[in-house]
Amino acid sequence: MRSRKICCEKQDEVFHSGQSQIVVIHNGLLRVKTGDCTLNVVAGCGIYFSQGDYLLEYTPIDGQYRASVIEFDNEFVSKLLQKHSELLMSFPKVANIQSGLFSFTLNILIKQTLSGMKTLEEQSYPDAIMRLKYEEMLILLLHGEQGEHLYALLSQLTNKSSERLRRFMERHYLKEWKLTDYAQEFGASLTTFKELFNEYYGISPRAWISERRILHAHKLLLTSKMSIVDVAMESGFSSQSYFTQSYRRRFGTTPSKVRTGDEQVTIGK
DNA sequence: TCCATCCGTCTTAGTTCAAT
DNA sequence: ATTGAACTAAGACGGATGGA
């Protein structure tokens, strides 16, 4: 559990969120893309990220991009859901989650909580008080406009089978396995595996794996000196040919043009 | 009756390879 | 490194099966 502030210049980034987190934008614009979902978050708004990979585009306004990040570990979320189970009983069970994201505007109560966190950070109070602030923040969001969506996302974190699936996929998404191999290694029939996958991620296994691989490849293109063939192979593509096709379909340009800086990718599909 | 799982069929996406 | 075409595998979906 920790919070931190970020400031940066205009840039694109493939961002891996190791645990769920809330980002509050103070200045500038943040565009977040995952799967079929793109969200624009402006100053005065926040966004919740589940664990996973996201394509981020930071746009400073008046030369500045500033945001605060609050990270939550699964144990904290699990305890919060247990502690407030009575309060949360009225929430319906959401079967299909479309994305691991949702954005929200900062109402007066959330602003006050953030302000309280800031004050606590500047002074030496016990951590337990800050944890209460984190709880307060999540409970306020749970009772906001998209509370049911957030509840579904948080419940998912503490669901053993979906958590097992998430860990399994994070470990193996770069493997050159057929879907039947994934199912077999996971220990379920192909149909059960696909249905569990759809329930957890809201998209098909193949679509999710493709998106993760293309983001991994994009990150390697921007941050390494590997050849395009090596980037393709390292990212689980069977050939450079197919990698180029997929990259073009996903980003509207080819890997070599992005590598040489001739073109930049845009996040929206 | 409900739920988890499996099966069959049609559609869509991924892979390979040759040409440039 | 990229593109296009042919081939193959995976996905979507509805219905069937079997156990609790």
Side-chain angles (χ1 to χ4, degrees):
Chain A
M1 290 284 306
R2 65 195 181 102
S3 76
R4 60 194 162 86
K5 290 187 170 56
I6 51 174
C7 296
C8 61
E9 297 175 351
K10 181 172 175 62
Q11 60 164 312
D12 294 345
E13 176 189 21
V14 177
F15 165 70
H16 177 73
S17 174
Q19 51 193 347
S20 45
Q21 53 182 260
I22 287 171
V23 177
V24 174
I25 314 298
H26 304 300
N27 202 74
L29 171 71
L30 174 66
R31 182 176 289 181
V32 185
K33 177 86 178 85
T34 180
D36 286 334
C37 173
T38 302
L39 286 177
N40 290 310
V41 193
V42 297
C45 293
I47 182 164
Y48 170 87
F49 291 89
S50 292
Q51 290 143 316
D53 274 10
Y54 301 93
L55 197 52
L56 304 185
E57 190 179 292
Y58 307 101
T59 308
I61 290 177
D62 298 330
Q64 271 196 320
Y65 173 86
R66 282 189 300 114
S68 295
V69 180
I70 305 163
E71 292 178 341
F72 302 92
D73 58 54
N74 286 3
E75 193 189 343
F76 175 82
V77 172
S78 184
K79 281 182 181 165
L80 177 121
L81 293 184
Q82 274 177 20
K83 188 173 170 183
H84 300 284
S85 57
E86 278 191 35
L87 195 69
L88 299 167
M89 265 168 62
S90 59
F91 282 85
K93 284 193 174 177
V94 176
N96 279 318
I97 294 170
Q98 296 305 316
S99 74
L101 293 171
F102 81 89
S103 59
F104 54 89
T105 50
L106 304 183
N107 62 31
I108 181 72
L109 289 171
I110 295 175
K111 281 181 187 168
Q112 284 172 354
T113 305
L114 284 168
S115 165
M117 285 180 185
K118 193 180 167 195
T119 308
L120 282 173
E121 274 169 7
E122 289 161 359
Q123 301 180 25
S124 55
Y125 285 101
D127 283 352
I129 299 178
M130 185 58 102
R131 290 177 76 88
L132 286 173
K133 283 286 166 198
Y134 288 143
E135 274 189 36
E136 185 180 324
M137 179 84 177
L138 282 179
I139 290 169
L140 284 172
L141 290 174
L142 282 163
H143 284 81
E145 275 178 27
Q146 294 195 60
E148 288 174 11
H149 185 182
L150 177 60
Y151 180 58
L153 290 171
L154 295 181
S155 301
Q156 204 176 54
L157 286 179
T158 59
N159 176 317
K160 280 185 181 167
S161 60
S162 58
E163 176 60 14
R164 187 174 148 249
L165 175 67
R166 188 193 68 76
R167 286 188 186 165
F168 174 81
M169 292 310 296
E170 290 295 335
R171 260 201 322 274
H172 300 302
Y173 75 95
L174 291 175
K175 299 258 172 71
E176 287 184 43
W177 287 353
K178 291 179 184 172
L179 212 57
T180 48
D181 298 328
Y182 277 99
Q184 196 175 1
E185 290 294 326
F186 185 69
S189 75
L190 180 62
T191 311
T192 306
F193 179 75
K194 286 192 287 187
E195 286 173 356
L196 179 63
F197 199 98
N198 254 305
E199 189 183 320
Y200 180 39
Y201 288 101
I203 58 171
S204 67
R206 198 39 69 185
W208 183 88
I209 291 167
S210 298
E211 177 69 10
R212 288 301 300 266
R213 286 179 177 174
I214 205 95
L215 287 179
H216 181 77
H218 181 62
K219 193 174 188 173
L220 289 177
L221 274 178
L222 297 180
T223 58
S224 78
K225 291 185 176 177
M226 292 164 74
S227 71
I228 290 174
V229 180
D230 290 341
V231 167
M233 296 302 154
E234 173 68 24
S235 306
F237 289 87
S238 58
S239 67
Q240 186 227 329
S241 164
Y242 180 58
F243 170 58
T244 300
Q245 282 181 42
S246 304
Y247 195 90
R248 191 187 184 95
R249 189 163 53 236
R250 175 65 177 77
F251 293 116
T253 185
T254 60
S256 63
K257 285 181 180 168
V258 171
R259 173 54 74 68
T260 57
D262 287 349
E263 289 192 37
Q264 288 188 329
V265 302
T266 53
I267 289 171
K269 268 186 180 172

